[in-house]
Amino acid sequence: MKRDEVLQRLSQTVGVTKAESIISDAESALGYTEQEHLTELEIRSLCEQIKERNDGYVGEVASQLHVRAQANQRFKTLLENVPNPTVIVDFEEREPIIRSVNTAFKDVFGFDSNTAVDESLIELIVPDDEQIPFEVWSHASGERKREVCRLTAEGKERTFLVRRAIATRGNGGVEGFAVYTDITKRKRREQEQRMLKEVFSRVFRHNIRNELTVSRGQMEVIEAETDAERIIERATTARESIVQVLNHTEKARQIERLVDMNPSTIDQSVQSLVESAVKQCQQKYDSLTINTNTEDTTVQIVQGFEIVIQNAVENAVEHNPEPVEVDITTNVASNTVELTVSDNGVGIHADEVAVIEEEHETQLFHGSGVGLWLMKWYVDRAGGTLDITGTNSGTQVKLTLKRAS
């Protein structure tokens, strides 16, 4: 609040001449006669002095102005402590003119108060190719944050999420507020991750897979054309390792497709889901025994969810000595279905489960494959939960899924 606002408000009650006299008397009493500008605290004291020296309508108006001045001071204190760059503007011929900025604004954009205040916000930080008409502010109520590009004092572009709002003052004027959240580093990191994803995608899809397929074929030729047991044994080991890496690349590609598609949930019968997965597994593993005991109910999943069950069975086969036996069961509750895949193996290592639960790999413990990650992301997309436990008597993979409405 400024002195002119106090004068304008009092003038509406007693006229300009009388209002000026009342304010001058109060300023003299407070020793403000030599000051060109009054701080918010001094405006509060001025209003309080007018209230004490006048009664009737003048006293009531001064009391109202005092309350407003207190509110303004609290707002400015709050503004100064907002961690994000924040600016307050007035509108002159519908153009936002800066009236106040907080410390975060100065630090991030590199402008001091003397440089920013009374300048056009558009001319100060908005790129030349972008226009911000008044309607953008007037229609901002209730809108979500918008991503924008803005310029610092050095002319560098940074990316922000901005939220705008406008408010009407007591004197009928309109002021706007804009809060900026700097996401420049996040956007750069997202761009780098997209580029990294594209690079790895090309490597998995072409280079590594093609070269490994050739290597596997050569190992098969060596196994077939030699009688030396040691060479056959080593070629077999090499071929199995190649097959394992090829499986990893295929699962990585499946994860990529899942992320890119971002599929919506569908309803499917548990029995048909299990039957489809079991059929695929038995075609791949001849000596595998799978026992199923599932109830006929419907759950919410995403397209291709059978791969979760297939991976649970695959882990049982590949990480346990033969003969491997797998049980697939369900436990139906009012809103959820627990689909459990259990094996009779040696149990998954706790470190493998910890990698999935903590959602990051460490230098000491790496997931033995991407199969567990593939399972987790499919279950997450379906809105369910994945719980894996391992004991000396085997591994239990529990999928808790939502029942279809």
Side-chain angles (χ1 to χ4, degrees):
M1 184 185 299
K2 298 181 179 179
R3 184 184 188 279
D4 289 346
E5 294 181 61
V6 179
L7 176 61
Q8 182 183 22
R9 185 67 180 86
L10 286 175
S11 297
Q12 296 172 358
T13 303
V14 297
V16 176
T17 304
K18 180 64 174 177
E20 185 65 59
S21 175
I22 292 173
I23 293 174
S24 297
D25 289 345
E27 286 177 328
S28 296
L30 293 169
Y32 294 169
T33 52
E34 301 298 326
Q35 295 179 224
E36 294 184 5
H37 302 286
L38 301 180
T39 66
E40 287 288 345
L41 181 59
E42 290 169 340
I43 290 290
R44 285 172 54 188
S45 299
L46 177 65
C47 293
E48 189 171 13
Q49 184 69 218
I50 294 172
K51 181 179 64 174
E52 292 178 355
R53 297 167 66 90
N54 299 270
D55 53 15
Y57 288 123
V58 173
E60 290 181 12
V61 171
S63 180
Q64 294 171 7
L65 292 172
H66 182 260
V67 170
R68 279 186 53 195
Q70 283 183 315
N72 286 347
Q73 183 62 42
R74 289 169 182 163
F75 175 77
K76 287 199 171 183
T77 301
L78 175 64
L79 173 68
E80 191 57 35
N81 287 278
V82 172
N84 294 328
T86 305
V87 59
I88 302 176
V89 301
D90 282 339
F91 294 94
E92 295 182 2
E93 297 182 353
R94 304 170 74 85
E95 183 171 0
I97 304 300
I98 299 172
R99 298 308 181 205
S100 181
V101 295
N102 66 354
T103 298
F105 185 95
K106 303 172 192 175
D107 293 341
V108 172
F109 285 96
F111 297 102
D112 58 31
S113 296
N114 294 332
T115 304
V117 172
D118 295 332
E119 294 294 327
S120 165
L121 179 65
I122 295 176
E123 294 182 3
L124 195 69
I125 66 172
V126 178
D128 293 337
D129 59 353
E130 182 180 352
Q131 297 297 320
I132 307 178
F134 176 76
E135 286 72 21
V136 171
W137 294 78
S138 60
H139 296 152
S141 298
E143 76 168 11
R144 296 182 178 179
K145 294 178 181 178
R146 298 179 60 187
E147 187 174 306
V148 298
C149 177
R150 293 294 179 261
L151 302 175
T152 66
E154 298 177 346
K156 295 182 178 179
E157 291 189 352
R158 301 188 69 84
T159 306
F160 297 89
L161 291 177
V162 60
R163 176 168 290 166
R164 301 184 183 92
I166 61 173
T168 303
R169 296 195 188 95
N171 61 3
V174 176
E175 62 184 350
F177 309 89
V179 180
Y180 299 88
T181 302
D182 193 347
I183 58 170
T184 306
K185 291 182 179 179
R186 192 187 83 186
K187 293 293 292 184
R188 183 167 59 244
R189 185 167 60 250
E190 289 175 354
Q191 182 180 10
E192 291 171 349
Q193 288 174 340
R194 282 195 299 270
M195 293 177 60
L196 186 62
K197 173 179 173 291
E198 292 174 3
V199 171
F200 273 95
S201 177
R202 288 195 299 271
V203 169
F204 274 123
R205 185 177 294 117
H206 300 293
N207 306 66
I208 291 180
R209 187 169 185 82
N210 291 345
E211 295 299 331
L212 288 176
T213 300
V214 173
S215 298
R216 182 182 63 181
Q218 294 300 312
M219 290 299 105
E220 291 173 350
V221 171
I222 292 173
E223 289 177 282
E225 295 185 356
T226 184
D227 294 328
E229 292 186 4
R230 291 182 61 188
I231 294 177
I232 293 175
E233 180 180 344
R234 292 183 179 182
T236 301
T237 301
R239 178 178 55 79
E240 290 175 348
S241 295
I242 290 172
V243 170
Q244 188 69 17
V245 175
L246 284 171
N247 287 339
H248 290 335
T249 63
E250 178 57 31
K251 290 171 184 175
R253 292 171 65 190
Q254 291 168 342
I255 291 175
E256 179 188 358
R257 286 195 292 268
L258 173 66
V259 173
D260 288 342
M261 288 189 308
N262 192 24
S264 57
T265 58
I266 60 174
D267 296 343
Q268 185 169 341
S269 161
V270 171
Q271 287 187 341
S272 66
L273 181 68
V274 171
E275 288 173 2
S276 176
V278 169
K279 181 179 180 180
Q280 294 292 326
C281 292
Q282 289 181 329
Q283 289 176 350
K284 188 174 182 179
Y285 306 105
D286 296 333
S287 61
L288 174 64
T289 299
I290 302 179
N291 306 308
T292 61
N293 182 14
T294 59
E295 298 186 47
D296 188 13
T297 187
T298 305
V299 292
Q300 291 182 5
I301 56 170
V302 292
Q303 193 71 38
F305 195 84
E306 296 89 345
I307 200 169
V308 178
I309 303 173
Q310 293 174 29
N311 271 270
V313 174
E314 181 179 300
N315 286 337
V317 175
E318 295 186 353
H319 299 290
N320 294 299
E322 295 184 352
V324 177
E325 187 169 334
V326 174
D327 295 318
I328 302 178
T329 60
T330 55
N331 180 21
V332 180
S334 58
N335 297 316
T336 60
V337 175
E338 288 182 354
L339 177 62
T340 304
V341 181
S342 306
D343 65 56
N344 62 342
V346 296
I348 190 171
H349 198 283
D351 295 329
E352 299 290 347
V353 179
V355 167
I356 301 301
E357 291 177 344
E358 296 174 10
E359 298 191 345
H360 67 85
E361 302 270 353
T362 69
Q363 292 182 346
L364 296 179
F365 302 112
H366 297 277
S368 60
V370 294
L372 294 181
W373 287 110
L374 182 62
M375 292 164 61
K376 174 177 172 54
W377 281 329
Y378 260 98
V379 173
D380 286 348
R381 288 293 194 279
T385 57
L386 172 67
D387 183 52
I388 304 174
T389 56
T391 66
N392 293 333
S393 58
T395 299
Q396 184 182 80
V397 178
K398 182 183 295 184
L399 314 172
T400 304
L401 304 172
K402 295 178 181 178
R403 292 188 66 177
S405 301

